[in-house]
């Protein structure tokens, strides 16, 4: 009887562990926004930090470590300097546990300017008995400038460096001050930071090719927009430095250009607009933002360059 109980009990434990592991799923990489400096003294650093966190979380590809967690880790680091080991990285003192990628940034500009519209005027009171009045009009512009750096915590490698400039224009007259919604500018900048992070770690890939030719990509809102043009690449073999044995990336071949036509929360649909004459796109092919060189390579009548 005891032998029978043991034989039943052990498989049950194994099944329980397997089910728990499956429920937890794969570990997503962790991201921490270490600091957003407000060089421009805009007062928007906290709001921008929150927007970047939201944009990254919306990709469903990363775990976001928020400021409250960072504050706790900073306190732990203070203890670590006194001899307490808080990191799991081979005895290293301090560190951002659970964070695989660290984001640093600076708001460098948040300014308003106006430019004359070549003498354009707004005629007021033209039908008034007091006669016509003219007032100079301008194009008003609000600009948000942001410097961003994303590094790999384990290797120290800088994965993404970008100067992001967002602007919004409006017509103003007389002594008015250009008005714009800074929230819109910051949201757009936050989406670009998230897009830069995810595409440097997880390139955009073809997830499905329908019988109607519609191509499904594995990125959606926050990373892609309708009207975006992407170049599709066929991945090749891994390249290794013959001297050091270090990986150098992979060889690849561009096969065509697509236009994003529909964006959902976690995926997008696109249609082919150039290329693919001999090579249809396939699942796991990589997509990157189209460059001028890509566009030139697929001009009608021009030999394709890989």
């Amino acid at each position: 009887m005891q032998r029978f109980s043991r034989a039943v009990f052990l498989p049950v434990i194994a099944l329980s562990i397997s089910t728990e592991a499956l429920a937890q799923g794969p570990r997503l990489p962790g991201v921490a926004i270490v600091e957003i400096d407000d060089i421009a003294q805009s007062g928007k650093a906290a709001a921008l930090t929150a927007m970047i966190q939201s944009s990254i979380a919306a990709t469903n590809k990363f775990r976001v470590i928020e400021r409250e967690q960072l504050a706790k880790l900073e306190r732990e680091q203070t203890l670590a300097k006194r001899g307490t080991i808080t990191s799991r990285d081979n005895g290293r003192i301090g560190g951002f546990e659970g964070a695989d990628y660290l984001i640093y940034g600076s708001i460098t500009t948040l300014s308003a300017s106006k430019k004359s519209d070549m003498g354009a005027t707004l005629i007021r009171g033209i039908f008034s008995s007091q006669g016509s009045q003219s007032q100079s009009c301008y194009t008003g512009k609000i600009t948000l400038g942001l410097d961003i750096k994303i590094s790999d915590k384990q290797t120290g490698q800088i994965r993404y460096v970008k100067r992001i400039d967002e602007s919004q224009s409006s017509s103003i007259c007389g002594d008015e001050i250009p008005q714009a919604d800074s929230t819109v500018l910051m949201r757009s900048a936050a989406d670009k930071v998230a897009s830069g992070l995810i595409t440097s770690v997880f390139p955009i890939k073809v997830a499905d090719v329908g019988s109607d030719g519609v191509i499904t990509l594995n990125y959606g809102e926050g990373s892609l927009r309708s009207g975006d043009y992407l170049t599709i690449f066929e991945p090749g073999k891994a390249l290794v430095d013959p001297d050091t044995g270090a990986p150098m990336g992979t060889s690849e071949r561009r096969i065509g250009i697509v236009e994003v036509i529909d964006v959902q929360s976690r995926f997008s649909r696109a249609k082919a607009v150039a290329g693919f004459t001999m090579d249809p796109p396939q699942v796991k092919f990589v997509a990157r933002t189209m460059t001028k060189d890509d566009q030139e390579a697929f001009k009608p009548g021009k030999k394709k360059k890989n």
Side-chain angles (χ1 to χ4, degrees):
M1 180 64 70
Q2 290 179 346
R3 290 180 180 177
F4 178 78
S5 299
R6 277 175 141 182
V8 174
F9 183 58
L10 290 175
V12 170
I13 291 177
L15 178 61
S16 175
I17 294 174
S18 299
T19 303
E20 182 180 355
L22 289 172
Q24 290 178 346
R27 176 186 178 276
L28 296 177
V31 180
I33 302 177
V34 179
E35 188 173 18
I36 300 294
D37 291 328
D38 192 1
I39 297 175
Q41 297 183 345
S42 65
K44 303 292 185 181
L48 180 60
T49 297
M51 289 183 185
I52 293 174
Q53 290 175 339
S54 296
S55 293
I56 293 174
T59 67
N60 297 300
K61 294 183 181 292
F62 295 90
R63 294 177 295 108
V64 177
I65 301 174
E66 298 182 350
R67 285 301 308 179
E68 292 76 9
Q69 294 171 284
L70 287 181
K72 179 180 177 181
L73 292 175
E74 287 169 358
R75 290 194 296 271
E76 290 177 353
Q77 284 181 327
T78 301
L79 295 175
K81 293 177 182 178
R82 300 173 184 170
T84 303
I85 303 298
T86 63
S87 175
R88 295 177 301 209
D89 297 338
N90 298 322
R92 186 183 303 167
I93 296 177
F96 296 96
E97 289 82 347
D100 300 288
Y101 300 95
L102 306 178
I103 300 178
Y104 302 83
S106 298
I107 300 175
T108 57
T109 306
L110 184 57
S111 61
S113 62
K114 58 183 183 180
K115 180 180 179 182
S116 175
D117 284 342
M118 300 179 64
T121 58
L122 175 66
I123 306 299
R124 294 183 176 175
I126 193 168
F127 298 111
S128 171
S129 59
Q130 298 178 358
S132 63
Q133 300 176 358
S134 64
Q135 191 172 26
S136 296
C137 294
Y138 305 85
T139 297
K141 186 177 182 180
I142 299 291
T143 301
L144 169 68
L146 181 66
D147 287 340
I148 285 291
K149 179 178 73 174
I150 301 174
S151 63
D152 186 317
K153 192 201 75 166
Q154 297 296 329
T155 66
Q157 177 187 6
I158 297 176
R159 301 296 295 264
Y160 180 79
V161 177
K162 184 75 172 180
R163 164 74 185 184
I164 297 174
D165 290 297
E166 295 292 328
S167 61
Q168 195 176 79
S169 299
S170 61
S171 296
I172 59 174
C173 294
D175 296 327
E176 296 177 9
I177 298 175
Q179 300 292 324
D181 188 349
S182 61
T183 301
V184 174
L185 299 181
M186 290 194 296
R187 175 63 66 191
S188 179
D191 287 346
K192 288 182 179 179
V193 173
S195 178
L197 170 65
I198 58 180
T199 55
S200 66
V201 178
F202 302 111
I204 301 171
K205 292 184 178 180
V206 175
D208 182 64
V209 181
S211 58
D212 56 356
V214 173
I215 301 164
T216 301
L217 304 171
N218 66 333
Y219 279 87
E221 293 174 353
S223 302
L224 296 173
R225 299 178 181 177
S226 293
D228 285 350
Y229 288 92
L230 305 170
T231 303
I232 303 296
F233 293 85
E234 177 186 9
K237 64 180 182 180
L239 301 176
V240 178
D241 189 309
D243 294 323
T244 66
M248 301 188 304
T250 59
S251 61
E252 56 186 17
R253 186 168 58 95
R254 59 186 169 195
I255 62 173
I257 295 173
V258 300
E259 178 186 1
V260 177
I261 57 175
D262 177 50
V263 179
Q264 300 296 319
S265 60
R266 301 184 65 173
F267 66 90
S268 301
R269 296 185 179 91
K271 64 177 181 180
V273 295
F276 305 111
T277 52
M278 300 293 294
D279 306 290
Q282 297 180 31
V283 173
K284 293 187 178 181
F285 278 18
V286 175
R288 298 193 183 93
T289 301
M290 181 190 71
T291 65
K292 290 183 178 179
D293 188 50
D294 296 334
Q295 189 176 13
E296 189 71 18
F298 289 104
K299 276 188 175 179
K302 186 161 185 173
K303 186 177 179 180
K304 182 177 67 174
K305 296 186 296 181
N306 294 319

